């Protein structure tokens, strides 16, 4: 259903940014060769490769598909992915990685959504033992499911660790824009530490478009075939590419992300003065995780849309989007305050 | 690249119909719950179920995905799909069915793109033998890859045969609209003979949207999970649904298909007066397959975009779209005539 | 390599019981139709079904294959298996379940190798949510990887819980004989609580033979095909079946298991008088898990073969077999004592 | 069931050669480290590598498993196997390759069971096209399902063709012994033209043992893991290895194969004088394919066990084994003659 009030349920409850719709309409006139042999795809691919310092860019339909495609290029089915137990890959993709890649996920307990060399090292014990799956890739999200961001130093440490252990790194960048905006860095700064990553358009104001960036030449050769076999080849690809052209123009991606992040910070700051509400994780992107008494949660959900993240611990997730306004945040804060009455 | 002249390469070389873009823009304002819990999805699902007499409708991103999803609901991995050797499923989906469903395709030689009970019966020999894959589903395309259409009588015969042999039928309906337009029947007339089918929007003027219709209650339960695991769950699903709402409004799907079919017929009729050009298959949708001397093919391709279907037999495929004009067809006919000079 | 002293490394370090070799030789004369249409397979299948109260018995080559076959009959790829984090299925099968079934394993922390309704309930949260894999089967081992056994009461409780939650139960019975011997019950007493289980011959004195018992008619139909497709159909099946005929004759399986268990108990009791050695888990089958100072472990491994189970916590696993003798145990105890010097 | 008269149904209807049973018994005394770290495995591996000129040898349980393992080392799931439409891999393995490797089989029509560079070339058309699976391996059988053998010249031609097209070759050698015996060559002469092959023990007098030989170093690294994940790692591997040690001792494999081949030739020669019986394929191993009137087939099957290979064309397959005697063949010839009465 549509939500009469601004949704804090997810950044994908928002519609598309007007510039995205204009770009789609702008790509419409005339014929274009299908499956990516069109000028919009050529342009977006080139721009993305330039911005990321990438060797290749492959458009796909959604975030789960980006994760499966990126990881599939690095793995044989007996090789495993090390990732956070709370990762989208593990929790929210209905076992797509296991089914489509055939690989096991080796879970490590996240701290504030993040994993570290120490945590990864703890699951590398069975290497060389044919009874065990062989860890081969590390998957992290940037920003994480907890809304936190790996610092550049943390990424460098992960990168050095992984290189020293012959592990490849893939980044789920469904909210990469929010991370780059928070860290104040370039997309290339995030990309240089890893082997492949996704860059999400959908949660950043697109109608629906994600892209997988490959940072190594040796991952390129089979990407086209894997994408097709994984059901991700768009025939009228110009309409995916055009969305990225819009996001890259005048750094729309960053402006959208900065705004969403600012709204989350505004919300978090407003919570500071509200008794009975505690932040669960540092607010480093467009997500605010907080604990709240169960009856207040119920009351607030009568009028507002958001997710209860952890039923047992009364954790809620409130997300902002590119189109969340200060008015929306203040109205929501007032409503939260009101639940204490 | 864009094509300066109208492309006869594929119906997916066309852009989107203006009504589709309007529908996307019309679905944009405001928030909507993600993953299909929105009013546009509810509306499109209801309308599609009504029009097809279906028990459920599940949006996916592209035609290969529709085929894999629909078939996956009917099959265990040791069960096989009987299909035409020239089918899109077999030839043009990069082995997606084998990888994702795990099932073998049992190929039968198509006649004018079509298969028959007799041809299917010929591959049912190993039933009950544990060394053999067990035929469980029959896949046909409507219209076929050869541009031909199964008549309602042919569908009925297939249906009765399959029911008597405990085979389920899935229809690849990437061009179902063209078939219904050619046959002058309702979509429900095509659907009632089968267990599941896809209905393609993309080649009929959409930006990119396909839907899987399920005709049996027992296929419903796992469709949502299979769709998600197969990487086909759209977060902003309203933008897929809105495209179908536009196609269903005032029978836009049929008008687009009738027009494309008429342009193909115009082209075919024009070929009749051209020496050295022979139709390969009956023209029953928006595809014209013809044979032409190789040097004439080369000459024609200098200015016009189309596919050589069979290099060895000099067969070309010329496709029309919802936006192909009589002027386009006549210019193309003139160019074909000119290659004889 | 062969081990000059009796190995305490695994019950599969032992050779085969003489009665097994005799049974293989006894099945050799004359021709027999392949793939199980022989008298030995008919006999063993009937006897196993009688002993277990099972609806079908399917021979396979090893324990991992039994687990994958049994579980595959219960699962669609989006459905998950709930199992212990320390289970053989999770740790020691190189991701076979994920690759071949396509399903995710949902791990719960084992206590003494066992899982409980409470632990299982904790991972059932996402049912009905298409983003999550859907728990559908529970896998336990009997005896467990920790050498412990579920009591009949614990099995009943698990069974009732699973039935109430529409979960099926599969038992990894690679050491089912040891469990039945410890519990003093019939094999049917263990089988009646579950939907399918394996019964291991290899660790109980066979050359190499395992069997999957199906307790429900609705699992039967596809077992033959799944077994073949999973590469487990033996052509000269009489030689697998004959091994089970030998194990069932005069309860050889129980005698072997009782003896192995008794040797483990003897070892465990002998440890009681040794300072610096502590049992890690209750000794309920043919495995003794103990903690020992690292330097003593190293010293002991110079002459004796066994596994260090947990490097960090200095846990070793000592296993006995059908052919371990009191002299072997006493010599090993003396050697352990000697490491303290 | 056992067959009162010698079976001509399959070479796996025979039991095991006495030397095989002795080898198993001989490997029994004492403990041995599991999973292949034993002296028998070391010895058999070394001898097999020497005999074949191979880089590695990996024991598996049956022929389908050998085929899947060998091919899996060469393929990514979007890559395809070119093979004969009548191959065991395609017809008789219940879709194991598709399910476990994820790859499509590209079928070419066999002539007398064999395929050729010309036939393979005909299916290489879609290379580089992301919509098509990418041919990467060629699978042949030696001897073939039709009982014929590729000559060394034919193998060389296939090898050169495949190398020139970046295709790898895998040989299903379930009856490799029969081929080497027929061709009068060494096993290494057959192996040097290919990338990997299997060597079947089961049909050559073993209880049940197959081995995959790898001829290239770059296939070695993942073989252990793939074997385990594909459910083919034997715990008491000494009992598989010992069977190969027996087959290699005094060229038992060749003696068994020469005898079986000679019995097939004797049978074929005897058929020459029988009216109404025609050979279907050249007799080059231990299989005789013949056509016979349907009523004579029925009559013969009353007392004798064999397969009707092609119901429609009245083709039967008669196979000999290492233990078929001249008396058996003559009795069978008399029975065939008798059906004409």
């Amino acid at each position: 259903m549509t939500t009469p009030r601004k949704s804090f349920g997810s950044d994908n409850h928002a519609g598309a940014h007007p510039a995205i719709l204009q770009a789609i309409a702008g790509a419409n006139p005339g014929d274009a060769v299908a499956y990516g042999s069109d000028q919009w795809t050529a342009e977006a691919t080139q721009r993305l490769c330039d911005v990321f310092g990438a060797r290749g860019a492959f458009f796909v339909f959604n975030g789960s598909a980006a994760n499966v495609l990126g990881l599939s290029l690095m793995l044989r089915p007996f090789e495993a992915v090390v990732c956070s137990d709370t990762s989208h890959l593990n929790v929210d993709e209905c076992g797509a990685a296991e089914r489509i890649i055939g690989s096991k996920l080796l879970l490590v307990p996240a701290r504030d959504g993040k994993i570290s060399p120490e945590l990864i090292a703890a699951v590398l014990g069975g290497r060389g033992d044919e009874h065990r799956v062989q860890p081969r890739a590390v998957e992290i999200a940037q920003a994480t499911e907890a809304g936190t961001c790996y610092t550049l130093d943390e990424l460098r440490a992960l990168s050095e660790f992984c290189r020293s252990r012959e592990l490849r790194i893939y980044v789920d960048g469904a909210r990469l824009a929010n991370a780059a905006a928070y860290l104040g860095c370039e997309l290339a700064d995030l990309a240089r530490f890893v082997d492949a990553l996704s860059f999400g358009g959908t949660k950043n104001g697109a109608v629906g478009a994600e892209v997988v960036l490959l940072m190594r030449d040796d991952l390129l050769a089979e990407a086209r075939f894997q994408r097709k076999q994984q059901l991700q080849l768009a025939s009228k690809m110009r309409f995916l590419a055009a969305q990225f052209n819009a996001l890259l123009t005048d750094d729309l991606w960053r402006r959208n992300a900065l705004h969403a992040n600012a709204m989350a910070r505004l919300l978090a700051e407003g919570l500071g003065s509200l008794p009975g509400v505690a932040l669960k994780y540092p607010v480093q992107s467009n997500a605010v995780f907080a604990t709240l008494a169960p009856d207040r949660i119920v009351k607030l959900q009568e009028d507002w849309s958001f997710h209860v993240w952890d039923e047992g611990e009364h954790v809620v997730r409130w997300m902002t989007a590119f189109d969340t306004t200060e008015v929306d945040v203040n109205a929501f804060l007032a409503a939260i305050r009101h639940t204490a009455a």
Side-chain angles (χ1 to χ4, degrees), chain A residues 245-264:
Chain A
N245 284 328
L247 287 171
L248 292 175
T249 298
D250 299 333
D251 280 353
L252 175 61
W253 67 269
R254 189 187 291 274
R255 287 181 286 127
N256 281 350
L258 282 170
H259 177 80
N261 288 1
M263 291 303 100

Side-chain angles (χ1 to χ4, degrees), chain A residues 174-185:
Chain A
R175 295 188 182 99
L176 196 74
N178 302 89
Y182 170 75
L183 295 167
C185 68

Side-chain angles (χ1 to χ4, degrees), chain A residues 127 135-137 160-168:
Chain A
R127 284 184 134 179
R136 179 68 176 135
E160 287 172 4
F161 173 79
C162 287
R163 200 172 312 121
S164 74
R165 302 301 181 93
E166 294 187 19
L167 291 165
R168 288 184 171 171

